[in-house]
C-alpha cells in the first residue's frame, strides 16, 4: 500500500473513510513469464473482498497497471539475467462498521 492518503476525519478525530491504492508486484524470470503471473494474479484478485472486524471493505478494483520492466538491481544467480516485474494497483475503499 501507499504511505497513506489524507483520510477523512470526523470532528471527534475518528477516521470515517478509507480510499487508497494497494500495489501488487508480480515477478518472473522472463517478460512472458511475468505476463502469465499477472494474468493468474488478476484472476485470483478479481472480486476479492478483504475482511476486517472493524471496517466494511469493498471488493478490490483494478485501478492501474504499470508496464513490465527489468529489475536491473537484481541478477539471478542461475541465469545471470535480471528478473522482470510488473505492478498492478488496486483501489481499496472502506468505511468503519457501525458500533
Amino acid at each position: 500500500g501507499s504511505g497513506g492518503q489524507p483520510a477523512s476525519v470526523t470532528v471527534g478525530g475518528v477516521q470515517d473513510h478509507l480510499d487508497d491504492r494497494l500495489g501488487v508486484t508480480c515477478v518472473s524470470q522472463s517478460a512472458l513469464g511475468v505476463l502469465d503471473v499477472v494474468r493468474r494474479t488478476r484472476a485470483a484478485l478479481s472480486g476479492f473482498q478483504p475482511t476486517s472486524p472493524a471496517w466494511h471493505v469493498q471488493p478490490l478494483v483494478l485501478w492501474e497497471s504499470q508496464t513490465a520492466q527489468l529489475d536491473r538491481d537484481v541478477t539471478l544467480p542461475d541465469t545471470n539475467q535480471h528478473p522482470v516485474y510488473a505492478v498492478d494497483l488496486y483501489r481499496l475503499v472502506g468505511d468503519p462498521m457501525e458500533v
Side-chain angles (χ1 to χ4, degrees), residues 19 26 41 61 89:
D19 191 344
C26 298
T41 302
V61 174
L89 297 175

Side-chain angles (χ1 to χ4, degrees), residues 54-65:
W55 288 81
H56 172 69
V57 183
Q58 297 177 13
L60 295 178
V61 174
L62 182 61
W63 182 70
E64 180 181 350
S65 183

Side-chain angles (χ1 to χ4, degrees):
S2 75
Q5 301 294 327
S8 171
V9 177
T10 65
V11 175
V14 176
Q15 184 176 353
D16 70 351
H17 186 69
L18 170 69
D19 191 344
D20 206 351
R21 305 292 180 258
L22 175 68
V24 177
T25 303
C26 298
V27 181
S28 183
Q29 294 180 352
S30 69
L32 287 177
V34 81
L35 294 176
D36 184 53
V37 174
V38 166
R39 178 188 58 78
R40 289 184 287 128
T41 302
R42 286 180 184 171
L45 292 177
S46 177
F48 176 71
Q49 186 170 7
T51 59
S52 167
W55 288 81
H56 172 69
V57 183
Q58 297 177 13
L60 295 178
V61 174
L62 182 61
W63 182 70
E64 180 181 350
S65 183
Q66 300 176 355
T67 58
Q69 300 179 45
L70 282 177
D71 186 347
R72 297 188 188 280
D73 293 332
V74 176
T75 302
L76 300 171
D78 294 346
T79 62
N80 202 34
Q81 294 183 343
H82 303 292
V84 181
Y85 70 95
V87 178
D88 278 345
L89 297 175
Y90 290 83
R91 186 170 182 212
L92 181 63
V93 178
D95 295 293
M97 292 198 181
E98 299 291 327
V99 243

